[in-house]
Amino acid sequence: MELELATRHEGDVAIVSAQGEVDVFTAPGLDAELDALIAEGHCRLVIDLSGVAFLDSTGLGVLVKVLKHAREAGGWLHLVVTSDRIRKIFEITGLDASIPIFDTAQDAIAG
């Protein structure tokens, strides 16, 4: 399956919506999109994973890297996760303690 990305901006927050699967084959595209946003000075990021059906360790690695770069630039990374299966991945790995998870993009922006 492929990964489709759409980026929009609300104020100084960049929201990246992902649809599909984030795996070893598609994670580089997500990585490139997020790297480009940070390079352009967008360091307050929301990644909406509500349309993601599968997330592997490669995708988690991309998110950890982006979290580090966003923080180094004085920003933050928030996630939107609506799938219990995807949320459980963050809980099992302990990443939910480092990356705030919200139910909606609006909550993530405000968070």
Side-chain angles (χ1 to χ4, degrees), residues 79-103:
L79 301 177
V80 176
V81 178
T82 56
S83 163
D84 289 339
R85 182 175 14 170
I86 301 296
R87 187 178 291 260
K88 188 167 185 151
I89 293 168
F90 288 97
E91 292 169 356
I92 289 170
T93 59
L95 286 174
D96 61 329
S98 299
I99 306 173
I101 298 174
F102 299 88
D103 293 325

mmCIF file of all heavy atoms in Angstrom, residues 79-103:
data_model
loop_
_atom_site.group_PDB
_atom_site.id
_atom_site.type_symbol
_atom_site.label_atom_id
_atom_site.label_comp_id
_atom_site.label_asym_id
_atom_site.label_seq_id
_atom_site.Cartn_x
_atom_site.Cartn_y
_atom_site.Cartn_z
ATOM 1 N N LEU A 79 0.949 14.403 17.702
ATOM 2 C CA LEU A 79 0.350 13.415 16.811
ATOM 3 C C LEU A 79 -1.152 13.354 17.001
ATOM 4 O O LEU A 79 -1.661 13.588 18.102
ATOM 5 C CB LEU A 79 0.916 12.019 17.087
ATOM 6 C CG LEU A 79 2.412 11.832 16.937
ATOM 7 C CD1 LEU A 79 2.792 10.410 17.319
ATOM 8 C CD2 LEU A 79 2.867 12.155 15.527
ATOM 9 N N VAL A 80 -1.851 13.001 15.922
ATOM 10 C CA VAL A 80 -3.271 12.656 15.981
ATOM 11 C C VAL A 80 -3.341 11.167 15.676
ATOM 12 O O VAL A 80 -2.905 10.725 14.618
ATOM 13 C CB VAL A 80 -4.109 13.447 14.957
ATOM 14 C CG1 VAL A 80 -5.560 12.991 14.991
ATOM 15 C CG2 VAL A 80 -3.988 14.938 15.212
ATOM 16 N N VAL A 81 -3.858 10.410 16.641
ATOM 17 C CA VAL A 81 -3.984 8.964 16.476
ATOM 18 C C VAL A 81 -5.384 8.571 16.924
ATOM 19 O O VAL A 81 -5.765 8.828 18.067
ATOM 20 C CB VAL A 81 -2.930 8.196 17.301
ATOM 21 C CG1 VAL A 81 -3.118 6.693 17.158
ATOM 22 C CG2 VAL A 81 -1.521 8.605 16.893
ATOM 23 N N THR A 82 -6.136 7.955 16.026
ATOM 24 C CA THR A 82 -7.498 7.527 16.364
ATOM 25 C C THR A 82 -7.636 6.009 16.414
ATOM 26 O O THR A 82 -8.604 5.504 16.967
ATOM 27 C CB THR A 82 -8.513 8.100 15.362
ATOM 28 O OG1 THR A 82 -8.135 7.710 14.037
ATOM 29 C CG2 THR A 82 -8.556 9.616 15.444
ATOM 30 N N SER A 83 -6.678 5.298 15.863
ATOM 31 C CA SER A 83 -6.711 3.838 15.854
ATOM 32 C C SER A 83 -6.126 3.293 17.153
ATOM 33 O O SER A 83 -5.007 3.649 17.546
ATOM 34 C CB SER A 83 -5.897 3.304 14.670
ATOM 35 O OG SER A 83 -5.577 1.951 14.842
ATOM 36 N N ASP A 84 -6.873 2.396 17.803
ATOM 37 C CA ASP A 84 -6.365 1.771 19.025
ATOM 38 C C ASP A 84 -5.098 0.968 18.749
ATOM 39 O O ASP A 84 -4.184 0.935 19.574
ATOM 40 C CB ASP A 84 -7.430 0.854 19.641
ATOM 41 C CG ASP A 84 -8.584 1.634 20.251
ATOM 42 O OD1 ASP A 84 -8.409 2.832 20.565
ATOM 43 O OD2 ASP A 84 -9.670 1.040 20.414
ATOM 44 N N ARG A 85 -5.034 0.339 17.583
ATOM 45 C CA ARG A 85 -3.864 -0.470 17.231
ATOM 46 C C ARG A 85 -2.618 0.410 17.100
ATOM 47 O O ARG A 85 -1.550 0.064 17.605
ATOM 48 C CB ARG A 85 -4.106 -1.231 15.944
ATOM 49 C CG ARG A 85 -2.936 -2.096 15.600
ATOM 50 C CD ARG A 85 -3.025 -3.008 14.442
ATOM 51 N NE ARG A 85 -4.068 -2.878 13.465
ATOM 52 C CZ ARG A 85 -4.050 -3.541 12.340
ATOM 53 N NH1 ARG A 85 -3.066 -4.355 12.057
ATOM 54 N NH2 ARG A 85 -5.020 -3.405 11.465
ATOM 55 N N ILE A 86 -2.746 1.545 16.441
ATOM 56 C CA ILE A 86 -1.599 2.449 16.276
ATOM 57 C C ILE A 86 -1.241 3.086 17.620
ATOM 58 O O ILE A 86 -0.065 3.181 17.974
ATOM 59 C CB ILE A 86 -1.899 3.539 15.221
ATOM 60 C CG1 ILE A 86 -2.232 2.910 13.855
ATOM 61 C CG2 ILE A 86 -0.738 4.518 15.104
ATOM 62 C CD1 ILE A 86 -1.121 2.139 13.206
ATOM 63 N N ARG A 87 -2.237 3.481 18.385
ATOM 64 C CA ARG A 87 -1.974 4.077 19.705
ATOM 65 C C ARG A 87 -1.213 3.096 20.597
ATOM 66 O O ARG A 87 -0.306 3.489 21.333
ATOM 67 C CB ARG A 87 -3.277 4.511 20.364
ATOM 68 C CG ARG A 87 -3.064 5.294 21.652
ATOM 69 C CD ARG A 87 -4.386 5.747 22.230
ATOM 70 N NE ARG A 87 -5.023 6.754 21.417
ATOM 71 C CZ ARG A 87 -4.996 8.056 21.668
ATOM 72 N NH1 ARG A 87 -4.335 8.508 22.708
ATOM 73 N NH2 ARG A 87 -5.613 8.907 20.890
ATOM 74 N N LYS A 88 -1.565 1.823 20.519
ATOM 75 C CA LYS A 88 -0.912 0.800 21.343
ATOM 76 C C LYS A 88 0.581 0.708 21.028
ATOM 77 O O LYS A 88 1.397 0.472 21.925
ATOM 78 C CB LYS A 88 -1.592 -0.550 21.151
ATOM 79 C CG LYS A 88 -1.094 -1.591 22.101
ATOM 80 C CD LYS A 88 -1.992 -2.811 22.093
ATOM 81 C CE LYS A 88 -1.488 -3.748 23.172
ATOM 82 N NZ LYS A 88 -2.517 -4.563 23.736
ATOM 83 N N ILE A 89 0.960 0.913 19.774
ATOM 84 C CA ILE A 89 2.378 0.902 19.398
ATOM 85 C C ILE A 89 3.138 1.975 20.175
ATOM 86 O O ILE A 89 4.233 1.729 20.687
ATOM 87 C CB ILE A 89 2.544 1.102 17.876
ATOM 88 C CG1 ILE A 89 1.993 -0.105 17.122
ATOM 89 C CG2 ILE A 89 4.002 1.353 17.507
ATOM 90 C CD1 ILE A 89 1.848 0.109 15.629
ATOM 91 N N PHE A 90 2.542 3.147 20.280
ATOM 92 C CA PHE A 90 3.197 4.230 21.018
ATOM 93 C C PHE A 90 3.248 3.926 22.509
ATOM 94 O O PHE A 90 4.225 4.257 23.182
ATOM 95 C CB PHE A 90 2.492 5.561 20.742
ATOM 96 C CG PHE A 90 2.746 6.077 19.359
ATOM 97 C CD1 PHE A 90 1.839 5.852 18.342
ATOM 98 C CD2 PHE A 90 3.908 6.759 19.062
ATOM 99 C CE1 PHE A 90 2.078 6.296 17.065
ATOM 100 C CE2 PHE A 90 4.168 7.218 17.781
ATOM 101 C CZ PHE A 90 3.245 6.976 16.775
ATOM 102 N N GLU A 91 2.220 3.301 23.029
ATOM 103 C CA GLU A 91 2.196 2.940 24.450
ATOM 104 C C GLU A 91 3.223 1.863 24.762
ATOM 105 O O GLU A 91 3.972 1.964 25.741
ATOM 106 C CB GLU A 91 0.796 2.480 24.851
ATOM 107 C CG GLU A 91 -0.227 3.595 24.814
ATOM 108 C CD GLU A 91 -1.666 3.111 24.945
ATOM 109 O OE1 GLU A 91 -1.896 1.873 25.000
ATOM 110 O OE2 GLU A 91 -2.565 3.980 24.991
ATOM 111 N N ILE A 92 3.298 0.823 23.928
ATOM 112 C CA ILE A 92 4.240 -0.279 24.153
ATOM 113 C C ILE A 92 5.683 0.210 24.104
ATOM 114 O O ILE A 92 6.527 -0.205 24.898
ATOM 115 C CB ILE A 92 4.010 -1.407 23.125
ATOM 116 C CG1 ILE A 92 2.695 -2.121 23.432
ATOM 117 C CG2 ILE A 92 5.173 -2.396 23.101
ATOM 118 C CD1 ILE A 92 2.254 -3.087 22.345
ATOM 119 N N THR A 93 5.978 1.097 23.164
ATOM 120 C CA THR A 93 7.349 1.603 23.010
ATOM 121 C C THR A 93 7.679 2.714 23.998
ATOM 122 O O THR A 93 8.835 3.098 24.132
ATOM 123 C CB THR A 93 7.572 2.137 21.586
ATOM 124 O OG1 THR A 93 6.643 3.195 21.328
ATOM 125 C CG2 THR A 93 7.420 1.031 20.554
ATOM 126 N N GLY A 94 6.664 3.246 24.670
ATOM 127 C CA GLY A 94 6.884 4.347 25.605
ATOM 128 C C GLY A 94 6.974 5.705 24.934
ATOM 129 O O GLY A 94 7.200 6.717 25.597
ATOM 130 N N LEU A 95 6.786 5.743 23.621
ATOM 131 C CA LEU A 95 6.882 7.019 22.907
ATOM 132 C C LEU A 95 5.736 7.966 23.240
ATOM 133 O O LEU A 95 5.871 9.177 23.047
ATOM 134 C CB LEU A 95 6.955 6.789 21.395
ATOM 135 C CG LEU A 95 8.289 6.252 20.897
ATOM 136 C CD1 LEU A 95 8.202 5.921 19.416
ATOM 137 C CD2 LEU A 95 9.398 7.255 21.163
ATOM 138 N N ASP A 96 4.641 7.434 23.769
ATOM 139 C CA ASP A 96 3.535 8.310 24.149
ATOM 140 C C ASP A 96 3.923 9.238 25.300
ATOM 141 O O ASP A 96 3.277 10.254 25.521
ATOM 142 C CB ASP A 96 2.275 7.504 24.489
ATOM 143 C CG ASP A 96 2.476 6.559 25.656
ATOM 144 O OD1 ASP A 96 3.605 6.064 25.858
ATOM 145 O OD2 ASP A 96 1.483 6.293 26.364
ATOM 146 N N ALA A 97 5.014 8.919 26.004
ATOM 147 C CA ALA A 97 5.507 9.789 27.067
ATOM 148 C C ALA A 97 6.305 10.968 26.504
ATOM 149 O O ALA A 97 6.444 11.999 27.158
ATOM 150 C CB ALA A 97 6.369 8.997 28.043
ATOM 151 N N SER A 98 6.824 10.816 25.282
ATOM 152 C CA SER A 98 7.643 11.862 24.665
ATOM 153 C C SER A 98 6.913 12.660 23.598
ATOM 154 O O SER A 98 7.233 13.824 23.370
ATOM 155 C CB SER A 98 8.881 11.240 24.006
ATOM 156 O OG SER A 98 9.667 10.584 24.959
ATOM 157 N N ILE A 99 5.962 12.005 22.937
ATOM 158 C CA ILE A 99 5.218 12.659 21.861
ATOM 159 C C ILE A 99 3.748 12.708 22.260
ATOM 160 O O ILE A 99 3.098 11.659 22.337
ATOM 161 C CB ILE A 99 5.363 11.905 20.519
ATOM 162 C CG1 ILE A 99 6.837 11.704 20.149
ATOM 163 C CG2 ILE A 99 4.641 12.668 19.403
ATOM 164 C CD1 ILE A 99 7.055 10.822 18.917
ATOM 165 N N PRO A 100 3.212 13.897 22.513
ATOM 166 C CA PRO A 100 1.799 14.002 22.885
ATOM 167 C C PRO A 100 0.884 13.495 21.768
ATOM 168 O O PRO A 100 1.101 13.786 20.593
ATOM 169 C CB PRO A 100 1.590 15.493 23.128
ATOM 170 C CG PRO A 100 2.959 16.036 23.380
ATOM 171 C CD PRO A 100 3.888 15.188 22.561
ATOM 172 N N ILE A 101 -0.131 12.733 22.172
ATOM 173 C CA ILE A 101 -1.081 12.151 21.227
ATOM 174 C C ILE A 101 -2.468 12.711 21.503
ATOM 175 O O ILE A 101 -2.908 12.748 22.659
ATOM 176 C CB ILE A 101 -1.087 10.613 21.333
ATOM 177 C CG1 ILE A 101 0.300 10.069 20.961
ATOM 178 C CG2 ILE A 101 -2.166 10.009 20.447
ATOM 179 C CD1 ILE A 101 0.454 8.580 21.169
ATOM 180 N N PHE A 102 -3.147 13.125 20.422
ATOM 181 C CA PHE A 102 -4.471 13.729 20.530
ATOM 182 C C PHE A 102 -5.454 13.002 19.627
ATOM 183 O O PHE A 102 -5.057 12.263 18.730
ATOM 184 C CB PHE A 102 -4.393 15.212 20.135
ATOM 185 C CG PHE A 102 -3.474 16.011 21.021
ATOM 186 C CD1 PHE A 102 -2.122 16.111 20.742
ATOM 187 C CD2 PHE A 102 -3.970 16.654 22.146
ATOM 188 C CE1 PHE A 102 -1.270 16.835 21.564
ATOM 189 C CE2 PHE A 102 -3.128 17.386 22.979
ATOM 190 C CZ PHE A 102 -1.770 17.472 22.680
ATOM 191 N N ASP A 103 -6.740 13.237 19.873
ATOM 192 C CA ASP A 103 -7.800 12.599 19.081
ATOM 193 C C ASP A 103 -8.152 13.365 17.815
ATOM 194 O O ASP A 103 -8.691 12.795 16.883
ATOM 195 C CB ASP A 103 -9.066 12.429 19.921
ATOM 196 C CG ASP A 103 -8.864 11.416 21.048
ATOM 197 O OD1 ASP A 103 -8.123 10.427 20.851
ATOM 198 O OD2 ASP A 103 -9.452 11.615 22.121
#
